[in-house]
Amino acid sequence: MLLNNFPNKLGGDRIGLWSAKLLFWGLAGFIFLNCLAFYSSYTPYSDDFAWILHCDHRFANVAEWFTRGATGYFVNYQGLVNPLHTANFRPLAAIFFYLASWFHPWMGYQSQLAMNYVLLIVVLWAYLRFLQRFTPLSDTVRWIVAAAFLVSPVWSDNYFYPSIRLHLLECAATLLASLLLPSAAGGSLFRRVVPAAIVSAGAVFAHELGIVAPLIVAWTHYHVSTRAGYRRKKAAGEALLIVAISIGLYLSVRLAFFQVSAQSGYQAYQAYHSKSPAAAVLGLLMRPFFPFETYVSGEALRSGGTLIGWWMVLLTLAVYILLAVGLIRNSRYRSDLRMLTGCAAIAAAPLVFAVVVRQMGILLIYCLPLAYLTVESSISVNANRLLLRRVGTALLAGAGALYIGAGIQSFVKARANWSSESIYCRSMRAELASAMQRGARHIFLINDPSAYFGSLAMLQLTARENGVTLADPTVVNQLALGKYEDARYTQDNGIMVECRGNVVSIQIELAPGRKFDFVAPPEMLLTRANASGGRYTFPYVQRTQHRDMLARSIVEKIDFGNRLVFNAPTACNSVGVVGFPGRGQLQPQIFLLTPPGSQAKN
C-alpha cells in the first residue's frame, strides 16, 4: 500500500512495521508519563462532583439512576431548574462511577481516573482489532492510524477528567458490538444479531449521542454479510433487527422508569447555543478529519484562523474531493469506502447540533481509516504513475505529521489547563472545609471557577466528607464565560457582603466586558427567586434586540451591567460566605463567618 513505499525503500516491510510500532508505543509512553502526573495530583473537578455525589457507593441511591436520571445533578440554582440537564438518562455511566468508587478506600478519588485509563486501553485494543478485521489496511498503516487515534484531541480530557468517560463508553460499546458481528456466513439468527444489538445499546445508555451506535453496527453488519455472500434483502433484514432490538431495549427501560422527555433538553440546548443550520453544518464539515478546536472551527472561513488551521482546511477539502472520486470510480477499495463513509455520516449526523470535540469519538473511529483509504484509492488505479504516488505519499505523510504534532500540542495545553484548575479546586474545597469546621452551616459560594455546573454538588460533597449537614447551601454568581477572551471573575472589581435583619446581601462589582451565560436561564434569574427565596437583581441591566440574518430571527441580547446583587432571607447565625474575591486574586477567601446565635455585618 501507499505508505509501505517508505519501508520498501528502507529495506523491507519489517522495518516499516517496527517503525510504526515504535511511533505508537513512543506516543503511548509519552501519554503514560503524563497520566502518572495527572493521577498523582488528581482531585475531582466540575461535573465529577455531581457524578460522585450521586453514584459513589457510599452515597448512591441506585434506583434513582433509572427513575430520576441525571435530574438535579448539574443544577446550581435550586428551584430554577435548567431543562438542559434534566433529560439526561445515563445509567451505564453511573454504573462505572459506582464500580470505581469501591476502590476508594485504597486509591481515593484517583480510582475514578484509573477507570478512565482502563477504558482507554480497552478502546485502543478494540480499535486495533476493528482495523484489522474491517479495513484493508496493512499492519504498518494500522499502527500509524492507531497512533493518530491515541493522540487525538478527542481524548485529551479523558486523561484527567472522569466525567468525560461517557464518550469512552460510547466508543467501547460501538467497537465491541462491531467485533461481535459474525465474520462468516452461517450460524443462527440469534448469534448473528442479538449479542451485537445488546452491546451497542450500551452506547445509548452511556450518552444520548450514542443513539448512532446501533445504526453504525447495523450498517457494518449489512456490508460484512453481503461480502460473505448473503442476499441483500436478508442482510438488510438482519441489520434492521439489530437496530430494533437495540433501540427497543433502550426505549423500554427509559419509558418504564424515566418519563422526562428528551425534547426539553434539546430545546434548552438550542436556546443557549442558537446557530444557523448552515453555520452548524459548516463547522462540522471542517472537523471530521482534523477535530482540533484550537485551529479549525465553523468560524475559520470568516475570522481568518491560523496557518495550521488553513492547512487543515485545505487537507480536509482534498480528502472530500478524493473521496467523491473514490466512491464514483470502480476501484478495489470502493466497498470499504462506502462502508466507512456510511459509518462516518451516521456518527456525524447528531453532531450538527453540538459540534464539541470530545463528543466526536465514534466519528473518529471511521474518519481516520477513511482518510487514508481515500488517498490510497485515488492513487492505486494509477499506480504506474510515479509522480501521483509521490504526491499521495507526501499528502498522507504531511497530514499525519500535522495531526500527530497538533495532537501532542493539544494534550500539553490540556495538561496546563488542568494544572491551574486543580489548584483552584483544592484551594476552594480547603476554604470551604475550614468554614464548616468553624461552624458555618448556611454557606454561600461565590464566583466558583473550580466546579462550574457541579458547584452545588461540590459544596454538598465537601459537607458530607466533613460530616456536616448544610442548611440551604447556595451558589451565587456561578457563571460561564461567553467567550474565552471575555473578562474573567478574577477581574471583577470587588465583593461586598453583609448579613443584617436576617437577610444576607452579596454585591459584586463586575469587570468591564464581563460577558457570560448563567447556568440557569437568564429570564428565570431576572424574574424568580430560587428555592430558598434568594433573588438576583441587576441595577444596570440592558436589553437589546437584533436580527440574525443567518437564522432569520430576532435575537435578544442581555447586558447585565457592572453590578450584581443577590439577597437571601437567612438568619444571621452559622453563616459562611466563601469564594474568589476578584481584583486579580486567585486565592479563595472567607468573606463572612458568623458563629451560632450571632448577628453580623461585614
Side-chain angles (χ1 to χ4, degrees), residues 215-470:
L215 300 173
I216 290 173
V217 173
W219 177 257
T220 305
H221 177 73
Y222 172 78
H223 277 266
V224 170
S225 298
T226 52
R227 284 183 190 176
Y230 268 69
R231 298 191 312 274
R232 290 180 181 273
K233 287 186 178 180
K234 184 173 182 180
E238 291 184 354
L240 291 174
L241 193 56
I242 289 175
V243 174
I245 293 174
S246 184
I247 302 299
L249 176 61
Y250 171 75
L251 292 178
S252 297
V253 174
R254 177 165 182 146
L255 295 176
F257 299 103
F258 185 70
Q259 283 79 40
V260 176
S261 171
Q263 184 178 3
S264 61
Y266 168 74
Q267 291 172 343
Y269 182 88
Q270 291 299 95
Y272 283 110
H273 305 83
S274 57
K275 184 183 293 185
S276 72
V281 171
L282 178 62
L284 179 60
L285 288 176
M286 289 295 102
R287 292 188 186 179
F289 306 107
F290 295 95
F292 294 89
E293 197 159 324
T294 306
Y295 302 118
V296 182
S297 71
E299 304 294 326
L301 299 180
R302 290 188 291 180
S303 59
T306 64
L307 180 60
I308 295 177
W310 276 108
W311 273 110
M312 290 180 177
V313 170
L314 293 175
L315 288 169
T316 299
L317 293 176
V319 172
Y320 282 132
I321 294 170
L322 295 177
L323 178 59
V325 174
L327 291 174
I328 295 172
R329 190 167 54 187
N330 188 18
S331 69
R332 58 182 290 199
Y333 300 120
R334 188 179 183 184
S335 178
D336 298 296
L337 289 176
R338 285 179 174 177
M339 188 194 81
L340 292 172
T341 301
C343 292
I346 295 170
L351 296 177
V352 172
F353 304 106
V355 189
V356 180
V357 168
R358 67 173 181 268
Q359 296 177 351
M360 300 177 70
I362 298 179
L363 178 60
L364 182 70
I365 293 172
Y366 305 98
C367 279
L368 291 176
L370 177 61
Y372 174 82
L373 284 178
T374 294
V375 179
E376 172 69 15
S377 173
S378 300
I379 303 302
S380 60
V381 175
N382 301 301
N384 59 327
R385 298 185 180 181
L386 184 59
L387 178 60
L388 289 176
R389 294 175 62 187
R390 287 179 174 175
V391 170
T393 301
L395 179 65
L396 286 172
L402 185 64
Y403 192 102
I404 291 174
I408 293 174
Q409 185 178 7
S410 69
F411 180 84
V412 172
K413 286 186 176 181
R415 178 182 177 180
N417 290 337
W418 158 247
S419 298
S420 61
E421 297 291 354
S422 63
I423 292 173
Y424 295 150
C425 201
R426 290 180 186 277
S427 59
M428 176 61 82
R429 296 191 74 197
E431 208 68 34
L432 286 171
S434 174
M436 293 174 189
Q437 292 165 4
R438 293 160 62 183
R441 296 298 179 266
H442 299 263
I443 291 186
F444 295 82
L445 179 60
I446 303 176
N447 272 1
D448 173 38
S450 64
Y452 297 102
F453 295 109
S455 287
L456 183 59
M458 183 267 285
L459 191 52
Q460 295 168 327
L461 182 63
T462 304
R464 290 194 181 189
E465 291 174 341
N466 286 273
V468 171
T469 301
L470 297 179

Side-chain angles (χ1 to χ4, degrees), residues 403-563:
Y403 192 102
I404 291 174
I408 293 174
Q409 185 178 7
S410 69
F411 180 84
V412 172
K413 286 186 176 181
R415 178 182 177 180
N417 290 337
W418 158 247
S419 298
S420 61
E421 297 291 354
S422 63
I423 292 173
Y424 295 150
C425 201
R426 290 180 186 277
S427 59
M428 176 61 82
R429 296 191 74 197
E431 208 68 34
L432 286 171
S434 174
M436 293 174 189
Q437 292 165 4
R438 293 160 62 183
R441 296 298 179 266
H442 299 263
I443 291 186
F444 295 82
L445 179 60
I446 303 176
N447 272 1
D448 173 38
S450 64
Y452 297 102
F453 295 109
S455 287
L456 183 59
M458 183 267 285
L459 191 52
Q460 295 168 327
L461 182 63
T462 304
R464 290 194 181 189
E465 291 174 341
N466 286 273
V468 171
T469 301
L470 297 179
D472 295 327
T474 304
V475 176
V476 181
N477 193 26
Q478 207 288 327
L479 311 174
L481 288 174
K483 296 181 180 179
Y484 288 114
E485 63 267 21
D486 291 342
R488 304 181 68 85
Y489 64 92
T490 55
Q491 298 169 268
D492 288 343
N493 294 322
I495 297 174
M496 294 180 288
V497 179
E498 68 175 5
C499 190
R500 178 187 296 174
N502 291 331
V503 173
V504 171
S505 180
I506 300 169
Q507 178 176 304
I508 303 176
E509 299 296 325
L510 301 173
R514 188 81 149 90
K515 300 175 182 177
F516 44 71
D517 294 321
F518 277 89
V519 177
E523 198 61 39
M524 284 185 168
L525 291 169
L526 293 170
T527 59
R528 292 171 51 186
N530 66 14
S532 58
R535 185 179 291 276
Y536 286 89
T537 56
F538 299 88
Y540 307 112
V541 65
Q542 294 181 356
R543 297 176 180 237
T544 57
Q545 292 183 341
H546 69 278
R547 178 176 292 275
D548 189 319
M549 300 305 296
L550 291 175
R552 296 183 179 181
S553 61
I554 300 297
V555 177
E556 182 179 55
K557 180 180 179 181
I558 300 178
D559 182 351
F560 291 95
N562 61 0
R563 179 174 297 174

